[in-house]
Amino acid sequence: PSAPLGRLDDYKWIIQGRGPKLLSPPLAPAGEPVEQRSRSPFVWHSMPPMTEAAARQALLRFVASRCCYGSRAAGQLAIQCLRPLGMYRYRLETFSESRLSEWVFEPFTKPRAAGPSGDTPLDPWEVEVGTPPLFQGQTQRCRVPRSALVRDCHRCRGHGRSKCGVCHGAGRTRCVTCKGSRRRLKQQKRCQLCSGTGRKRCNTCSGRGSKTCVTCQGEKKLQHFKQLVITWKNNVFEFVSEHHLNFPGELLSKVSGANVFKDENVVVYPIINFPDPEISLASQRAIAEHSAALATSSRILRQRQTIELIPITEVHYQYSGKPYLYYIYGLENKVYALDYPERCCCSCTIL
């Protein structure tokens, strides 16, 4: 198998100004300003109303998933009111690409000879690589063509072998049986393992005093080249419209909603004139934040913004003459019960 690539942290001539470097993306070509595209229309969904039967079934599923929740209350409660609600969730996804250039090395072998020294290396942003599926993060490494340089190995100084660290080049080590005394300590007889010499052949280097250099693998030379570390990342901004319910807002990020708007292009524009002004403001803020954060370090390949309507139903019910409530949220009909009446312990999470 081929030797692993090495880093140049201990190589002086490469360290001076040649460490890992984050590459700024190329500037977009000058031209006519891009006109704003026609926007995708908002698609208004009429969510089917929650029925008492569906509300009770959702609660029964929730209770069954909790070890210390009793099902009797879910079956016998009296539903008083079903209050339909809805929250908007805005999400901006910006699929970006960043490139890091660093010098690495590998053992130099004749079949993989370096290119002519006069060749000019390609600009790192001109190296063509296959783009992964959109909006899926990935990291890939590849070498920059025509960037190879061949030098003597800096660890063994071009000899292909290095001094053994166990015997320090002597080829022999102290006998482990007599500990160098030449005789067995208890029997006072000559040690048979080392033949009374107190030393034996080093097992690490087989008595040679040196071993194959681990850096160049005995090839004596190293081939240094620029390596690109290309990172594709899906940057996500998410915002849920304000609500005043006794309900943890973070739960809404774990469910799906009905899609009312979707816009995908190389660059998307802020949403305007949405009925909920908070969503329009969130769109403006998200696009500005992503643009500012990625302008100098990454290249934006694609953007996608969506608005979803997440249904929420507030269920008021009575059990044993006392009022209670729970929430059903998302298209999956998940349940959040703040004070479920039939619990046998207090150690369970109620989310």
Side-chain angles (χ1 to χ4, degrees):
S2 59
L5 299 179
R7 295 292 301 272
L8 301 178
D9 296 337
D10 54 351
Y11 207 18
K12 293 182 179 179
W13 72 272
I14 239 20
I15 282 182
Q16 297 174 354
R18 300 194 182 190
K21 180 181 179 181
L22 184 63
L23 304 171
S24 299
L27 297 176
E32 295 296 327
V34 180
E35 295 183 359
Q36 182 162 335
R37 305 178 309 279
S38 59
R39 301 180 183 276
S40 302
F42 301 130
V43 180
W44 303 115
H45 287 266
S46 177
M47 304 301 297
M50 179 66 63
T51 63
E52 289 192 13
R56 192 182 303 274
Q57 187 62 34
L59 183 60
L60 285 170
R61 287 196 304 268
F62 168 77
V63 169
S65 66
R66 298 296 187 270
C67 63
C68 60
Y69 278 43
S71 60
R72 182 178 59 181
Q76 298 179 356
L77 59 84
I79 295 179
Q80 304 295 313
C81 174
L82 296 174
R83 182 188 174 199
L85 305 167
M87 301 296 168
Y88 289 111
R89 177 173 61 204
Y90 170 82
R91 180 184 287 123
L92 172 67
E93 298 173 85
T94 300
F95 188 55
S96 64
E97 175 186 345
S98 62
R99 298 193 175 194
L100 176 72
S101 174
E102 60 181 359
W103 283 93
V104 297
F105 60 80
E106 63 184 5
F108 174 71
T109 56
K110 296 294 173 65
R112 299 189 65 179
S117 58
D119 288 352
T120 302
L122 284 180
D123 183 276
W125 280 101
E126 294 179 355
V127 178
E128 296 184 1
V129 294
T131 305
L134 292 175
F135 307 107
Q136 295 183 20
Q138 185 176 318
T139 299
Q140 180 178 331
R141 288 173 169 81
C142 66
R143 68 172 62 199
V144 178
R146 303 196 300 269
S147 66
L149 301 171
V150 178
R151 297 289 187 273
D152 287 340
C153 176
H154 54 273
R155 186 172 297 277
C156 66
R157 301 184 183 277
H159 293 94
R161 300 185 66 82
S162 57
K163 182 189 293 186
C164 176
V166 176
C167 65
H168 304 288
R172 300 178 69 81
T173 59
R174 188 175 66 169
C175 177
V176 295
T177 302
C178 66
K179 294 181 172 44
S181 65
R182 304 182 182 184
R183 295 179 179 274
R184 292 182 178 273
L185 298 180
K186 294 182 179 180
Q187 301 176 0
Q188 294 298 315
K189 294 180 180 180
R190 188 177 68 171
C191 180
Q192 296 180 354
L193 185 63
C194 63
S195 301
T197 62
R199 303 183 70 79
K200 67 180 186 67
R201 188 178 66 172
C202 177
N203 293 327
T204 302
C205 64
S206 301
R208 300 182 64 178
S210 63
K211 58 182 180 179
T212 302
C213 177
V214 296
T215 300
C216 68
Q217 301 294 311
E219 298 294 341
K220 301 182 180 181
K221 292 183 179 295
L222 297 174
Q223 181 171 250
H224 305 264
F225 58 90
K226 279 187 177 181
Q227 177 178 255
L228 283 182
V229 182
I230 307 171
T231 302
W232 291 276
K233 182 179 179 181
N234 190 33
N235 307 270
V236 179
F237 176 100
E238 188 172 288
F239 172 81
V240 177
S241 57
E242 186 69 24
H243 65 84
H244 302 283
L245 305 176
N246 192 9
F247 184 91
E250 61 270 15
L251 295 181
L252 298 179
S253 64
K254 302 176 183 179
V255 295
S256 56
N259 184 59
V260 299
F261 177 79
K262 180 180 179 180
D263 182 23
E264 180 180 328
N265 213 301
V266 176
V267 175
V268 297
Y269 295 93
I271 296 172
I272 58 175
N273 298 329
F274 192 75
D276 187 341
E278 288 185 316
I279 297 299
S280 298
L281 292 175
S283 174
Q284 297 174 22
R285 185 170 75 252
I287 293 174
E289 287 182 4
H290 279 195
S291 178
L294 302 174
T296 59
S297 61
S298 305
R299 178 168 59 182
I300 295 177
L301 302 181
R302 197 79 174 173
Q303 287 188 312
R304 178 171 63 192
Q305 59 181 347
T306 57
I307 302 175
E308 293 174 281
L309 174 61
I310 304 176
I312 301 178
T313 301
E314 188 177 71
V315 183
H316 294 261
Y317 67 96
Q318 282 190 350
Y319 180 74
S320 298
K322 296 182 180 180
Y324 298 91
L325 69 84
Y326 65 92
Y327 294 93
I328 303 174
Y329 61 99
L331 296 180
E332 300 85 354
N333 283 348
K334 295 280 188 176
V335 168
Y336 173 76
L338 180 63
D339 53 355
Y340 184 71
E342 190 179 5
R343 299 172 58 182
C344 61
C345 69
C346 300
S347 60
C348 287
T349 304
I350 63 174
L351 301 184

